[in-house]
Amino acid sequence: MAYSFNSLPWHDAELLELTIDRRDSGVRDEVRLQVIWPDGGRATILFRDCYAVTAEMNFGIIGEERIFSASLIEDDPGLTSIRSQWRPLGVSLEMLRCYGLEMSSTSSLLRIYAEKFEVA
């Protein structure tokens, strides 16, 4: 089933795990999020063909890591920067997207720059 990133029930979902898979770097660069949705369901969000991840994570706060919001960010400056770095190498990254998440409990921010995402 195809999902729209913005339409997923992000608000108050709990982020359990963030995994960066670099076992086959340059060929299969993936980021995985394990989440519990507000209704109690669990999901793995898999980002494929990643080109960058930025994480400003704040630790030391006792409590669940709740997601305040998540959205596809069309005008993120990081997109322009990454595309500019790869363009001289003949790589077109027009399918690259910025997936942003903001946490309510810690004010942490994640930006995942990937061409695809899926929900498992």
Side-chain angles (χ1 to χ4, degrees), residues 8-77:
L8 293 170
W10 292 109
H11 184 72
D12 278 342
E14 182 181 357
L15 176 63
L16 298 176
E17 186 175 322
L18 164 69
T19 306
I20 299 171
D21 185 347
R22 299 278 297 157
R23 288 177 285 181
D24 197 7
S25 61
V27 176
R28 188 185 72 195
D29 298 310
E30 297 177 344
V31 173
R32 264 188 198 88
L33 303 179
Q34 297 287 332
V35 298
I36 299 177
W37 299 122
D39 69 2
R42 291 177 176 255
T44 299
I45 313 299
L46 179 61
F47 299 90
R48 296 184 184 273
D49 300 326
C50 295
Y51 280 79
V53 173
T54 61
E56 296 176 28
M57 302 294 293
N58 300 308
F59 300 141
I61 296 170
I62 298 172
E64 299 166 338
E65 186 72 272
R66 294 285 177 180
I67 299 170
F68 175 69
S69 66
S71 62
L72 193 61
I73 305 170
E74 298 290 340
D75 59 348
D76 186 85

